[in-house]
Amino acid sequence: MGKPEPEGIARVLAAAFGVPMLSVDVSLESEMENRKGDASVTCDYEYLSGDLACNLSVYGAKEVVPQPSEEELTRALARGLDTVVLISWGTMPSIRKVVTPQGGTTFARVEFLEGEGEGCLVTATETALAVFPRAVVEKFPEVVRGFPVATPLADGLLAGADRNSPAGDVRDLVWAWEALISRMAAGWPPSSWYGAAMYGEDLENRDRLAAAVEALPADERA
């Protein structure tokens, strides 16, 4: 993909934050001079090698209200710059959420390069994207497992139990089963997919749960 121009980035940020262009500073990360000291929106950028052209770090001053969410800003940049934009997702550094200029979303697995001209390689995506022709198209079980789901029953069950105790093991197994039900009820977020191997693991955990409950003392079992 092409390298975005600073003026184009500034134009998108001004619109997204609702401030004049003069209040936006877009500078190379290594540039220490000639910055706008009174800018209310700043963006440090650096050009990269590999599959990703540029890295952006955006900051809006606290007096700029309201401010767009990270998701809203990502969509604005993708649409305004006519390019895919990747943002962090969850706690897994190798997984990025991808937003397309048309507003679609998917996930990508990235590999970080080391050394001079460092950047990233996109090794896999959940949906085929023309900008990453070398990426394998596959589903990411870790994304499904990492997506938060509601587990109100498990959250309130045997709250005082040590995690390494039999009661703690039962609580974890109840959580796994309730998480499956919550995913099913919500339409298998975030990618409308659930792997057969993952479902098999859930069934094995259900059998483990039945046996573990029977082994508890009567009060905990009740």
Side-chain angles (χ1 to χ4, degrees):
M1 74 190 82
K3 295 184 183 339
E5 295 295 332
E7 184 175 345
I9 297 172
R11 188 179 303 110
V12 173
L13 295 180
F17 282 88
V19 299
M21 281 274 288
L22 291 175
S23 297
V24 179
D25 178 74
V26 178
S27 300
L28 278 169
E29 189 178 64
S30 58
E31 175 62 56
M32 295 294 107
E33 300 179 358
N34 302 319
R35 294 198 175 210
K36 297 179 182 177
D38 58 349
S40 54
V41 176
T42 60
C43 174
D44 288 351
Y45 71 93
E46 60 175 334
Y47 292 130
L48 305 173
S49 61
D51 290 330
L52 303 181
C54 187
N55 181 63
L56 305 179
S57 298
V58 179
Y59 173 77
K62 61 182 180 180
E63 62 266 19
V64 180
V65 291
Q67 295 195 12
S69 67
E70 184 179 37
E71 181 86 10
E72 291 169 337
L73 183 56
T74 301
R75 290 182 180 277
L77 286 165
R79 183 175 59 252
L81 300 176
D82 193 28
T83 187
V84 298
V85 178
L86 280 65
I87 55 174
S88 59
W89 186 85
T91 60
M92 294 171 284
S94 63
I95 299 296
R96 293 289 187 269
K97 185 174 183 178
V98 184
V99 178
T100 69
Q102 297 76 31
T105 61
T106 188
F107 292 92
R109 185 178 288 116
V110 301
E111 176 184 331
F112 297 93
L113 302 175
E114 297 181 356
E116 186 176 351
E118 63 184 10
C120 296
L121 297 179
V122 176
T123 60
T125 58
E126 283 205 331
T127 303
L129 297 171
V131 293
F132 305 128
R134 295 173 294 180
V136 175
V137 179
E138 61 184 15
K139 296 299 184 182
F140 300 165
E142 65 268 41
V143 167
V144 177
R145 291 300 194 199
F147 189 83
V149 293
T151 54
L153 176 61
D155 292 345
L157 184 69
L158 300 170
D162 184 276
R163 182 160 191 171
N164 297 318
S165 69
D169 187 42
V170 165
R171 183 182 58 208
D172 290 345
L173 290 168
V174 171
W175 179 91
W177 186 250
E178 188 177 12
L180 168 66
I181 303 305
S182 294
R183 291 186 176 102
M184 186 185 301
W188 308 108
S191 303
S192 301
W193 172 84
Y194 201 72
M198 299 165 69
Y199 184 57
E201 181 182 326
D202 289 324
L203 295 181
E204 292 175 0
N205 283 335
R206 182 189 62 180
D207 293 342
R208 288 178 55 206
L209 173 60
V213 168
E214 288 303 314
L216 289 177
D219 58 334
E220 292 181 343
R221 186 164 65 249

